[in-house]
Amino acid sequence: MATAAAPESSLLSLLYRSYPAAISPDATEPDYLHASSKIFPQVNFGETEEADIKQWLNTVSGLKTALASDEKPVIANILAQLNTHLASRTTLLGAKPSVADIAVYALVAPLVEKWSPEERTGEKGYHHIVRHVDFVQNSRLFALQIPEEEKVAIDVTDVKFVPKPVDPKEEKERKKREKAAQNGGATAEKELVVGKGKPEKAPKEEAKGEGDAAAAAAAGHKTQKKEKKEKKPKPAPAPAAPPSPSLIDLRVGHILRAVNHPNADSLYVSTIDCGDAPGSDNTSLDEETGKTVRTVCSGLNGLVPLAEMQGRKIVAVCNLKPVTMRGIKSAAMVLAASPRVEEGGDAHAGPVELVNPPADAPAGERINFQGWADGEPEKTLNPKKKVWETFQPGFTTNENLEVIFDSNAVPTVKDLEGKPAIGKLATASGVICTVKTLKDAAVR
């Protein structure tokens, strides 16, 4: 491949070829540090991000030196650092593209090309570096001009080992057990100290008096125990709440970043802030932002560009039972619209458009269908009750591209007294959720 040349010349060649308006072919030493804003003029880079770009360019330079002198421990250390960093990020900055990603690609792609399948995706392989190389060379976010025959051949389905994702609940329990074990010795010691001071034996007369008093108290206790108390009538069970789509926990979600699923071509893996409290079930702490987030797998790869999944607001279904999808636990669902299909047709053929909540709505804000916001959602929907399957056929869009609930499509609530036939999906302030272009579409 073309990038197998010396890394410096390879990077220059790649930049000249891909961004002729930003990188002059006459420049022999481009200002890499400030090249990102020229290559990606639509992206704003803060001071912290500029510092991160500088740091990664220095890391690339260090890796280049180590490769030239074949310093294997240094090479392994830098690659491990890079792989760990990319484990929870689409790009080196998280979601934003930068010249540092291209520099890493130019230097590391020739290495990946030579790696064995075990080195790529084995138990000790560099899964995330391989995924990053594949993303940079193919993504429209970078739009690199690389002929197909010069790209690194990567089979995303060829995964030798699937790292087990950390279960936040199990991790929390493990920490509790460790803390209890650490405090166990101190507790035992405290009890031993308390038990040291035994009271002196009382004189016989005194002991006898105490015994008589104890016997009398015991007799009185038995008498009281025999007296039966009148049983209070049990309160009547509360009337069952009428079935409603409000049982489904719909919230504003903020996608912090999304990446290709390492083991499935059709899936994205998104890190989403759904407004959960720290330590909530099925959540984890995002180290980059400090926010409590959910990991969500969605079958949108090839239907929604990955660039459109970055740093945006969506509507998340937050109380479906979590499922593990090709080795990664998914704890919510991203709501999207697609054209209706005839029975037996391909419901995933596309096009697909994400449901858009108000851009200024905070992550975690509850969203309800107007006229149907009459109850609290269940903590976790019981799959046996098929709540989602019951109400989802009524989720659709109208002529104004608004997301609505059409109760006529749900027999259990059709013509329910006091309920509207149509309810628009809206925030508490009354702002309606919409889609871009799809009218009379199925929303799921």
Side-chain angles (χ1 to χ4, degrees):
M1 56 180 285
T3 51
E8 193 79 10
S9 60
S10 170
L11 177 58
L12 280 172
S13 173
L14 194 54
L15 293 175
Y16 293 157
R17 190 192 327 172
S18 303
Y19 314 107
I23 305 295
S24 170
D26 299 327
T28 55
E29 294 183 9
D31 182 4
Y32 293 125
L33 187 56
H34 299 97
S36 294
S37 57
K38 296 178 182 178
I39 297 171
F40 307 105
Q42 75 281 10
V43 180
N44 294 320
F45 298 95
E47 290 184 10
T48 302
E49 290 166 331
E50 293 284 3
D52 287 343
I53 292 171
K54 181 179 180 181
Q55 180 182 342
W56 280 110
L57 288 174
N58 290 336
T59 300
V60 170
S61 179
L63 178 58
K64 177 189 172 186
T65 302
L67 288 168
S69 54
D70 197 26
E71 299 177 58
K72 288 183 173 57
V74 177
I75 296 170
N77 183 52
I78 293 176
L79 290 177
Q81 176 191 352
L82 176 62
N83 192 64
T84 301
H85 181 79
L86 289 171
S88 59
R89 297 167 176 84
T90 303
T91 68
L92 292 173
L93 297 182
K96 294 180 180 179
S98 73
V99 71
D101 291 286
I102 303 170
V104 166
Y105 173 80
L107 183 59
V108 174
L111 302 180
V112 175
E113 189 173 41
K114 297 174 184 176
W115 284 346
S116 66
E118 190 67 29
E119 288 174 304
R120 290 187 179 194
T121 59
E123 185 171 358
K124 296 182 180 180
Y126 299 109
H127 295 67
H128 307 296
I129 291 178
V130 174
R131 188 263 310 156
H132 181 259
V133 165
D134 187 58
F135 176 67
V136 172
Q137 69 182 2
N138 292 306
S139 172
R140 285 185 290 178
L141 190 64
F142 290 93
L144 293 178
Q145 299 302 306
I146 307 174
E148 287 297 320
E149 65 273 12
E150 294 184 9
K151 293 179 180 178
V152 181
I154 294 175
D155 181 0
V156 294
T157 64
D158 185 14
V159 178
K160 303 300 179 186
F161 176 80
V162 179
K164 183 181 178 182
V166 177
D167 187 323
K169 192 172 182 180
E170 289 182 5
E171 185 69 8
K172 187 178 179 182
E173 289 298 321
R174 184 185 65 79
K175 289 180 179 179
K176 282 174 67 177
R177 288 195 298 270
E178 287 183 357
K179 190 174 181 181
Q182 291 172 358
N183 294 336
T187 305
E189 186 179 343
K190 185 177 179 181
E191 290 175 352
L192 184 62
V193 172
V194 172
K196 271 186 178 178
K198 295 182 179 179
E200 294 180 6
K201 290 183 179 179
K204 289 183 179 179
E205 304 307 87
E206 192 176 324
K208 185 180 178 183
E210 289 178 359
D212 292 343
H221 178 68
K222 284 182 180 179
T223 305
Q224 290 176 1
K225 195 172 182 180
K226 286 180 181 178
E227 293 177 4
K228 291 185 178 180
K229 294 183 179 179
E230 292 183 11
K231 291 184 178 181
K232 294 181 180 179
K234 292 182 180 180
S244 167
S246 64
L247 294 172
I248 300 170
D249 187 359
L250 299 174
R251 301 186 212 166
V252 174
H254 181 199
I255 300 181
L256 304 181
R257 68 190 72 87
V259 299
N260 292 312
H261 193 298
N263 309 319
D265 289 344
S266 63
L267 299 178
Y268 288 140
V269 181
S270 302
T271 300
I272 305 180
D273 176 9
C274 294
D276 295 285
S280 301
D281 290 346
N282 305 312
T283 66
S284 59
L285 179 67
D286 180 49
E287 293 182 0
E288 184 176 338
T289 62
K291 294 180 178 180
T292 299
V293 296
R294 296 180 180 223
T295 298
V296 179
C297 297
S298 50
L300 300 171
N301 197 340
L303 297 171
V304 176
L306 187 60
E308 289 186 19
M309 298 287 292
Q310 312 298 333
R312 64 166 294 159
K313 297 288 179 65
I314 50 91
V315 175
V317 184
C318 293
N319 61 344
L320 297 174
K321 187 176 180 179
V323 293
T324 299
M325 304 176 73
R326 297 294 292 272
I328 296 180
K329 185 178 179 181
S330 179
M333 185 175 77
V334 177
L335 209 59
S338 60
R340 298 181 183 278
V341 294
E342 298 295 329
E343 188 175 348
D346 184 2
H348 302 283
V352 171
E353 295 177 356
L354 301 183
V355 173
N356 296 310
D360 58 351
E365 180 176 353
R366 279 292 312 283
I367 301 178
N368 280 300
F369 292 100
Q370 293 176 332
W372 293 89
D374 49 5
E376 289 298 313
E378 294 187 359
K379 184 177 179 181
T380 303
L381 295 177
N382 186 340
K384 293 181 180 179
K385 294 182 179 179
K386 297 189 179 298
V387 174
W388 169 255
E389 292 80 359
T390 297
F391 291 103
Q392 184 277 321
F395 291 15
T396 183
T397 61
N398 60 17
E399 287 296 310
N400 297 322
L401 304 178
E402 298 167 320
V403 179
I404 62 172
F405 173 64
D406 181 0
S407 64
N408 293 313
V410 182
T412 56
V413 295
K414 183 180 179 181
D415 300 325
L416 191 66
E417 186 177 352
K419 292 297 180 182
I422 301 295
K424 296 180 180 180
L425 187 63
T427 61
S429 60
V431 181
I432 311 298
C433 298
T434 60
V435 295
K436 283 183 180 180
T437 66
L438 295 177
K439 300 177 181 180
D440 189 31
V443 175
R444 53 182 173 265

